[in-house]
Amino acid sequence: MTTLDWGIKASLLAYVRRMPDGSVEAGDGATTTDAGIRFEGVGGLAFRGSVALTGHGGMLRVTIADPAIVEAEGGWLLEIADPDDPSSRLAFATIAAFDGRRASGTALTQDGADLFFGPYALGTAIDDPVVAA
């Protein structure tokens, strides 16, 4: 079975886990690993599962679900289910290079940065996803 191993942003996951009320909860086909999150493959470069990052007495709540690596004009994108409309897709990050297994140069799009309400800007580097068989 194919999986997607992705740390999202290792420093963010570590920050959330250090909070007294912080939580990184995976489900729906995703599991937590030492390196981040593992999402189950559903075919091609599409994956299922979700991770909810919560803390700060409920002021922090970010859900990342059902990632997919898709070829786009001029490169690659990392899409997720739109948290406001799970039937829609949101271009979360751009990928500078992808060889079918390893991505490199992964950076937030404006829509991806907006999910965090301020601490990250367009172009912020995030962890590169890795597809494993």
Side-chain angles (χ1 to χ4, degrees), residues 14-35:
Y15 170 76
V16 171
R17 288 177 172 138
R18 283 192 311 267
M19 283 190 270
D21 68 339
S23 174
V24 176
E25 291 186 28
D28 302 322
T31 57
T32 58
T33 68
D34 289 341

Side-chain angles (χ1 to χ4, degrees), residues 104-125:
S104 62
T106 308
L108 291 174
T109 63
Q110 187 61 59
D111 285 339
D114 288 347
L115 289 181
F116 298 99
F117 298 101
Y120 303 118
L122 167 69
T124 297

